[in-house]
Amino acid sequence: MDLRLNALSNSALSGLNPATAQRTQRTAMPGDAFADSFKTALQNVSASQAKASELQTQVQLGNPNVSLEETMLAMQKAQIGFQATLHVRNRMVQAYSDIMNMSV
């Protein structure tokens, strides 16, 4: 099962077109710190999944320098990271839905 996440650019993360994203990068916005930390977290999860996939490939090829235990541990770490990211995303979507459903 391949659960890799692709790294997102600032424009994809904020939903802006490239011209607006360049202006946003020059001026600090209140949500920039959160967006940057979320982007870093996604990149870390993606790197963890790539490492687990590479170790899995090496075990399948019979590389004697890669142990099965190390591979299984890396796969579990990647899975836990992905599940945590998925839960954060679900909470963010739920919070957005709650805010949008508030009456003004």
Side-chain angles (χ1 to χ4, degrees), residues 3-4 13-15 19 24 27 35-37 40 46 49 55 58 60 69 77 80 82 85-86 94 98 102:
L3 302 174
R4 275 184 265 168
L13 188 61
S14 62
T24 303
T27 59
D36 289 340
S37 63
T40 302
S46 181
Q49 290 175 333
L55 288 173
Q58 292 301 316
Q60 290 172 348
E69 295 82 9
K77 285 181 180 180
I80 290 170
F82 179 78
T85 304
L86 189 64
Q94 183 62 44
D98 291 344
M102 286 182 181

Side-chain angles (χ1 to χ4, degrees), residues 3-96:
L3 302 174
R4 275 184 265 168
L5 295 173
N6 294 329
L8 297 174
S9 65
N10 271 347
S11 61
L13 188 61
S14 62
L16 302 173
N17 65 33
T20 309
Q22 288 175 354
R23 276 190 309 230
T24 303
Q25 288 176 356
R26 285 186 229 135
T27 59
M29 301 294 287
D32 285 348
F34 176 76
D36 289 340
S37 63
F38 192 67
K39 180 180 177 183
T40 302
L42 287 176
Q43 289 172 342
N44 290 341
V45 169
S46 181
S48 173
Q49 290 175 333
K51 178 184 174 191
S53 179
E54 178 61 29
L55 288 173
Q56 186 178 13
T57 302
Q58 292 301 316
V59 166
Q60 290 172 348
L61 292 174
N63 186 346
N65 297 327
V66 179
S67 68
L68 182 60
E69 295 82 9
E70 177 185 10
T71 303
M72 294 302 292
L73 187 62
M75 289 171 61
Q76 287 299 314
K77 285 181 180 180
Q79 184 179 13
I80 290 170
F82 179 78
Q83 288 175 350
T85 304
L86 189 64
H87 286 296
V88 168
R89 188 223 39 171
N90 290 342
R91 291 283 181 134
M92 289 174 59
V93 169
Q94 183 62 44
Y96 176 78

